């Protein structure tokens, strides 16, 4: 019986210490403005720039024994998944291919801390279809034109 009482007192004590001394992270604080710059933003900006770099400059090629060429991408050419907590406290996720897209996702310039004015999303254009896919407008237009061109090619040269 004493053992159960001591366990309960220990549990209550640890819980109380956690409440008193630990502060919630900014991600857990729902009433905090979402677009407030963070001290880690410049570091995150550098990481996103490095991972989404599309330049081939400085990459090393290696010819393999079977004649193929291997190119070390040095962690470049990646899409970067991002997450944030929205105003209602729900998780909002996205995938970006550039620092500019990451800045748009967070609503601020990650390098300078400049906060972007919030612009309501328009629902009267074709780009509203991109929301479920988290594609940028440029990506959406690229794939839309690619599909249209393929359809035109099929019409111009139907199979016999």
């Amino acid at each position: 019986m004493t053992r159960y009482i001591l366990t309960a007192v220990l549990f209550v004590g640890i819980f109380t210490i956690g409440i008193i001394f630990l502060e919630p992270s900014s991600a857990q604080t729902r009433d905090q403005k979402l677009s407030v710059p963070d001290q880690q933003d410049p570091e995150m900006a550098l990481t996103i720039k490095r991972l989404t770099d599309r330049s081939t400059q400085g990459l090393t090629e290696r010819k393999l024994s079977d004649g193929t060429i291997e190119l070390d991408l040095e962690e470049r050419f990646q899409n970067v998944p991002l997450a944030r907590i929205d105003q209602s406290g729900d998780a909002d996720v996205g995938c970006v291919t550039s620092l500019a897209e990451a800045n748009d996702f967070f609503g601020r310039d990650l390098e300078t801390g400049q906060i972007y004015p919030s612009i309501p999303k328009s629902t009267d254009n074709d780009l509203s279809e991109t929301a479920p896919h988290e594609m940028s407008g440029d990506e959406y237009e690229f794939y839309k034109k690619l599909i249209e061109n393929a359809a035109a090619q099929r019409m111009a040269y139907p199979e016999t």
Side-chain angles (χ1 to χ4, degrees):
M1 184 72 162
T2 310
R3 190 169 136 190
Y4 294 115
I5 293 172
L6 287 175
T7 304
V9 169
L10 180 63
F11 177 75
V12 170
I14 291 172
F15 182 75
T16 304
I17 289 170
I19 290 174
I20 293 171
F21 293 107
L22 299 177
E23 294 181 33
S25 73
S26 61
Q28 295 169 322
T29 317
R30 293 182 184 189
D31 58 348
Q32 184 179 21
K33 189 174 179 185
L34 293 175
S35 57
V36 174
D38 188 281
Q39 293 174 346
Q40 295 175 333
D41 283 357
E43 183 180 340
M44 183 171 35
L46 285 173
T47 301
I48 292 169
K49 276 175 129 176
R50 179 177 51 82
L51 294 175
T52 61
D53 182 5
R54 299 294 195 248
S55 168
T56 58
Q57 186 174 6
L59 297 180
T60 53
E61 292 181 359
R62 189 177 81 166
K63 190 169 185 172
L64 302 178
S65 60
D66 64 357
T68 60
I69 296 175
E70 176 183 84
L71 182 65
D72 181 3
L73 297 178
E74 298 175 357
E75 296 186 338
R76 301 181 198 178
F77 296 89
Q78 295 188 48
N79 294 343
V80 178
L82 299 175
R84 66 177 178 218
I85 304 299
D86 67 14
Q87 294 288 0
S88 63
D90 295 326
D92 190 12
V93 296
C95 191
V96 299
T97 59
S98 69
L99 180 58
E101 289 177 12
N103 290 341
D104 288 340
F105 178 79
F106 286 113
R108 65 183 181 270
D109 187 315
L110 296 173
E111 294 176 300
T112 66
Q114 176 189 1
I115 296 173
Y116 294 167
S118 74
I119 301 169
K121 291 185 179 180
S122 173
T123 57
D124 60 350
N125 62 21
D126 287 343
L127 297 182
S128 65
E129 298 174 35
T130 64
H133 308 289
E134 295 296 331
M135 280 190 255
S136 69
D138 291 340
E139 286 176 308
Y140 177 78
E141 287 299 322
F142 171 80
Y143 288 114
K144 183 178 174 185
K145 287 178 184 172
L146 190 67
I147 292 167
E148 289 170 355
N149 290 342
Q153 287 284 337
R154 281 194 306 275
M155 295 296 282
Y157 302 104
E159 293 183 40
T160 55

